[in-house]
Amino acid sequence: MNSKGYIEFLGRNDQQVKIRGYRVELGEIENQILQIIGVKEAVVLYTPDSRGNKVLCAYIVAQPSLSIQDIKEGICRVLPNYMVPTHFIRLEQIPLTPNGKLDRKALPEPSGKTIFQKKYEAPVTEMEHIMVRIWEEILEYSFISVDDSLFELGVDSTSVIKFVARLATGHGIELPIRQIFVTPTIRELASLVSSSETQISDLSNERMLFNPQGERDRNIFCFPPVVALGVVYQRLAEFLSSYRLYSFNFLEIEQERLIAEYIRLIKEVQPEGPYVFLGISAGGNLAFEITKALEKQGDKVRQLILLDSFYITEINSERLTTEESRKYAKETVDLMLEKYPQLQSEGDFFHIHVGEKIQRYYAYLDNLMNSGQVAAHIHVIKSLQSQSKHIRGDIRMWEHSTIGKYSICDGHGDHESMLDATFVEQNAALILSILEK
């Protein structure tokens, strides 16, 4: 469609897409761009960039005097952040096929060079140089500004983990994963690392917030599977966009303090119930124990949503030795690296740092026996292939562990893949149907 309202090509059937959990009409973005004086034509696509990640890209035909900065500032005033394209590419004309349809093959591929930057700010300090170099390697982009929002550059949970791993193994700097979500620019991160604040051990670093723009009275507290990292919920959070997801790592503290520390971290965010908890696999068992403890002290948990969690009926009689625990932790890390081959270059970091968390998690599970009942409603979403080498317990037993409502339904994907890109949107829809009943 051009600035006069005439449609110049047909045949696009991808006008509605889902981004960060929101349904987005590409035509609406195009129309807003076309309202800017000086824009002649505009096409917006949700398309793979040079790294294979899908991004919003705007192809613009405009008067030479109109800058990309002017265009982005114009649409930022009328569109929410998730609808503002990451990439802007100026063209002499929109390429069409002989039939008058959009010629996708003739469009330039979005890359680091086409990411819009308000103003390039070069690194100054040594730490800024280090971080820029790491992010340029990970994102395969050049000239990343220290003031760029990393998530606007296409950073996801996998690249966050790679950054933290490379910072630790290459430079001996340990930065909590959550910090990238709190301060998502290189300038902020470098300043924090250079200060003494990062030397302070704080268990709140084990809690990260997804969807800070979500409604304040709609919190979901998420507990980790045996890989021990709460960042596994990032994709899920994109499809639960009206909720604020607080996601926990497994805490490396004494087992006697574990539940009390989780409760303290929960109450720092939400002092009173009712609470909503979610856990996948072992995270469901952990969430159940926290629910029991909260109810015992008079708090209310409204919903307990369990993704393929197995009720553990007895303490593990074949308790793992230290060597077996180390072996299983290694196997768990190897499985994670196999699922996410882009992380394999950081294998040493995972085997050492994440492996220790996993070993502690296995030790906790060895001593765990789920018992008793809670008043919270329990909803189980089970995978179609609920099996894994290290799982013990009975998924059907949750029915007897609540005096509230109970439901169970089939989810999507197998035990290991329910939060993967292929199935996460479908499973998020099941979670939303539970939350919004």
Side-chain angles (χ1 to χ4, degrees), residues 146-164:
V146 294
D147 289 326
D148 282 341
S149 171
L150 294 168
F151 294 101
E152 289 184 10
L153 301 183
V155 165
D156 57 14
S157 57
T158 301
S159 49
V160 166
I161 293 172
K162 290 179 76 171
F163 173 72
V164 169

Side-chain angles (χ1 to χ4, degrees), residues 40-41 59-64 89-95 107-108:
K40 299 176 180 178
E41 296 178 88
Y59 296 90
I60 308 289
V61 178
Q63 294 176 356
I89 300 178
R90 186 189 288 271
L91 301 174
E92 291 295 323
Q93 60 182 19
I94 300 295
L107 291 171

Side-chain angles (χ1 to χ4, degrees), residues 82-216:
Y82 63 87
M83 292 180 70
V84 176
T86 302
H87 299 257
F88 287 80
I89 300 178
R90 186 189 288 271
L91 301 174
E92 291 295 323
Q93 60 182 19
I94 300 295
L96 304 178
T97 67
N99 295 327
K101 297 179 180 179
L102 177 67
D103 188 353
R104 287 173 173 265
K105 293 181 180 179
L107 291 171
E109 182 181 66
S111 68
K113 295 179 180 179
T114 62
I115 289 181
F116 170 77
Q117 296 171 318
K118 291 181 180 177
K119 181 182 178 183
Y120 175 70
E121 294 287 348
V124 175
T125 68
E126 180 183 4
M127 186 52 59
E128 287 176 353
H129 278 282
I130 289 171
M131 290 188 173
V132 165
R133 188 161 57 248
I134 294 173
W135 279 119
E136 288 183 345
E137 290 171 356
I138 293 172
L139 298 176
E140 299 177 7
Y141 295 159
S142 299
F143 300 105
I144 294 177
S145 171
V146 294
D147 289 326
D148 282 341
S149 171
L150 294 168
F151 294 101
E152 289 184 10
L153 301 183
V155 165
D156 57 14
S157 57
T158 301
S159 49
V160 166
I161 293 172
K162 290 179 76 171
F163 173 72
V164 169
R166 292 189 187 184
L167 203 59
T169 55
H171 304 279
I173 298 168
E174 294 193 9
L175 186 69
I177 288 174
R178 72 177 284 272
Q179 194 60 52
I180 289 87
F181 294 92
V182 176
T183 51
T185 71
I186 290 172
R187 188 189 297 279
E188 293 171 309
L189 290 171
S191 175
L192 184 73
V193 167
S194 299
S195 74
S196 59
E197 294 176 48
T198 54
Q199 307 306 316
I200 300 172
S201 177
D202 183 356
L203 285 176
S204 66
N205 286 332
E206 306 288 355
R207 178 191 64 214
M208 61 199 74
L209 169 62
F210 300 127
N211 301 344
Q213 78 286 350
E215 298 176 28
R216 287 192 172 273

Side-chain angles (χ1 to χ4, degrees), residues 32 143 170 174 196 207 229 235 260 266 322 332 346 365 390 394 396 410 418 431:
Q32 291 296 340
F143 300 105
E174 294 193 9
S196 59
R207 178 191 64 214
L229 298 177
R235 282 199 192 104
I266 290 166
T322 302
T332 302
E346 323 306 331
L365 294 172
H390 306 313
D394 187 343
R396 298 166 297 178
D410 288 333
M418 294 185 80
I431 292 169

Side-chain angles (χ1 to χ4, degrees), residues 298-334:
D299 286 296
K300 181 179 180 180
V301 177
R302 183 170 65 246
Q303 309 274 17
L304 180 55
I305 302 172
L306 309 177
L307 275 65
D308 225 34
S309 300
F310 286 68
Y311 186 92
I312 298 175
T313 56
E314 57 186 18
I315 292 174
N316 190 3
S317 58
E318 299 179 1
R319 193 163 306 188
L320 300 179
T321 65
T322 302
E323 187 56 38
E324 287 173 331
S325 177
R326 188 177 296 115
K327 176 187 174 186
Y328 279 4
K330 182 181 183 303
E331 289 179 0
T332 302
V333 171
D334 286 342

